[in-house]
Amino acid sequence: MPTTDAPRRRDDLTVAEIDGETVIYDPRDATVHHLNSSATIVWSCCDGTSSVADIIDDIAQAFGLAVADIADQIHTALSAFEDSGLLAVPASVDG
Amino acid sequence: MASSTFDIDGTIVGIRTTDRDFASWLDAALGGYRSVTNADPTYSVVIGGREGTVQGFHILYHGTARLIRTIDLEAVARALIDEVASNTLRDRMDAVFVRAAAVQVNGSVALVPPAAVTSMEPSVRSLARSGFRLPVSRWVAIGSDGSLVPRTPLQLPSDIFDTFGDRNDARDERFIPRDPRPVDTIVTNAPDGGTGVGTSPRAVALHRLASATLNLEALGGTALEYLFRAVSGARCIELDRASADAYPTRLARAILGLELSAG
């Protein structure tokens, strides 16, 4: 996913967060997904206004980590969301 | 050998039994669903106490898979009816129907994977002596508040199970939900390679229950909401697939909170 994309959670999903992890029901194919605590943090950032680069920066800052140390993990999580069809068509954030 | 075919909400179900009296009972129980077609048997009920059976055990098979083996005629009948009823659950909206087994240990109720119960069936009577009640059903109903709720999806004569009173000379102590009650513990299988007993993330338990929901498509996100309430109030543990001998003891101890390590 390009770093200028602003991933956004689909609106029609049913989402249950419990103990810092997430379970998602997707009505399109009646499937259920489980996100562990790390994936849940990334998921919570997918609001359609923050670019991938913003998300990486925000998480790095919030947890006191180096961008280089977490960028791959975040890209992997976002790709998994995308592959699972959990994201709306991404918007691009200019600048 | 007697065979009957029933139309259960559009699903044709053939049932074969070795016992004419049981066949008559079945016709009385499911007479309203009788089909004019003749289907190959989906379920087979071997009634014990006759030539060719072992020690009077009654056995219910789905295809070639043994679901229950018991000396309690009513238990095998209830198990059969619940299995047949599972064909009606996909479109129901009155509860979340989950492929899980509800066991009771000293009053505490736990949902466990159905396969775990199958492996414990041979020990049902000795387990009962130590306060362990196995279910007859391999599915449970979860209500809107997350409670385990009784459901009888098929239209049956109200006294249909009373008729076993005279013939049933041996009873298993089984757990059959009669009233709504909370789920105390949810047990999931540990991942491959996992050992022992540990706490499980509740999200994992929720994911497992939702994935095993029979009417997930019909209820959609509502199913997740009901199950969320069940999981929120329950202890969630994972248990490795120990040997058949060791599993019941470890399960009972885990349900009673006697054997928990860090997850």
Side-chain angles (χ1 to χ4, degrees):
Chain A
M1 184 181 293
T3 54
T4 53
D5 277 0
R8 181 168 62 83
R9 302 179 291 272
R10 271 173 45 208
D11 295 332
D12 59 332
L13 304 170
T14 300
V15 179
E17 191 170 330
I18 187 165
D19 299 338
E21 300 190 350
T22 301
V23 179
I24 300 168
Y25 171 72
D26 184 346
R28 282 188 191 167
D29 53 5
T31 54
V32 188
H33 304 267
H34 168 233
L35 310 184
N36 65 19
S37 55
S38 301
T40 294
I41 292 167
V42 181
W43 176 252
S44 67
C45 296
C46 296
D47 56 8
T49 63
S50 303
S51 69
V52 173
D54 292 338
I55 290 171
I56 293 169
D57 285 342
D58 289 348
I59 292 175
Q61 197 168 4
F63 291 91
L65 301 168
V67 165
D69 291 342
I70 62 169
D72 283 351
Q73 279 180 275
I74 292 173
H75 278 294
T76 300
L78 291 169
S79 294
F81 300 158
E82 194 172 33
D83 292 345
S84 300
L86 300 176
L87 300 175
V89 176
S92 186
V93 177
D94 294 329
Chain B
M1 190 73 74
S3 296
S4 300
T5 301
F6 303 94
D7 183 341
I8 309 295
D9 285 5
T11 301
I12 300 298
V13 176
I15 303 173
R16 177 174 57 192
T17 177
T18 57
D19 185 89
R20 291 196 182 283
D21 289 341
F22 190 83
S24 298
W25 176 86
L26 192 58
D27 281 341
L30 296 178
Y33 298 92
R34 196 69 193 257
S35 170
V36 294
T37 60
N38 284 313
D40 290 336
T42 312
Y43 299 100
S44 301
V45 184
V46 176
I47 298 299
R50 292 177 176 272
E51 264 185 60
T53 61
V54 180
Q55 297 176 351
F57 281 106
H58 315 305
I59 306 171
L60 169 63
Y61 294 93
H62 180 204
T64 58
R66 190 172 72 190
L67 298 180
I68 187 170
R69 176 179 178 268
T70 174
I71 56 174
D72 185 339
L73 197 53
E74 182 178 334
V76 80
R78 285 184 179 276
L80 172 64
I81 293 298
D82 278 349
E83 273 299 312
V84 171
S86 69
N87 291 290
T88 71
L89 303 180
R90 292 190 185 282
D91 297 325
R92 290 183 69 103
M93 305 291 284
D94 57 321
V96 181
F97 293 93
V98 184
R99 275 282 176 208
V103 301
Q104 191 178 43
V105 183
N106 292 341
S108 182
V109 171
L111 302 186
V112 305
V117 169
T118 302
S119 71
M120 290 189 284
E121 280 290 343
S123 313
V124 61
R125 304 205 91 190
S126 60
L127 288 170
R129 284 193 289 275
S130 45
F132 210 122
R133 302 280 185 271
L134 297 185
V136 293
S137 183
R138 299 299 190 266
W139 53 263
V140 297
I142 302 294
S144 59
D145 65 352
S147 295
L148 183 68
V149 292
R151 285 289 184 272
T152 49
L154 299 180
Q155 299 292 323
L156 305 174
S158 59
D159 58 348
I160 195 65
F161 292 108
D162 297 342
T163 59
F164 290 111
D166 294 338
R167 289 190 67 195
N168 213 16
D169 51 3
R171 278 188 175 276
D172 288 346
E173 294 294 333
R174 298 271 175 169
F175 175 56
I176 300 171
R178 309 278 186 194
D179 302 295
R181 58 151 304 148
V183 176
D184 300 303
T185 307
I186 297 169
V187 180
T188 54
N189 290 328
D192 288 344
T195 56
V197 182
T199 54
S200 166
R202 284 190 288 184
V204 170
L206 177 57
H207 179 250
R208 298 274 175 88
L209 291 181
S211 298
T213 294
L214 294 162
N215 57 338
L216 182 63
E217 200 162 354
L219 274 178
T222 302
L224 197 61
E225 292 167 13
Y226 289 16
L227 294 175
F228 176 82
R229 292 176 194 128
V231 169
S232 295
R235 233 160 27 96
C236 298
I237 58 177
E238 61 181 21
L239 189 55
D240 73 341
R241 306 287 292 273
S243 68
D245 289 345
Y247 192 89
T249 303
R250 298 178 71 176
L251 177 63
R253 291 179 61 83
I255 291 171
L256 296 174
L258 303 175
E259 188 179 317
L260 279 182
S261 60

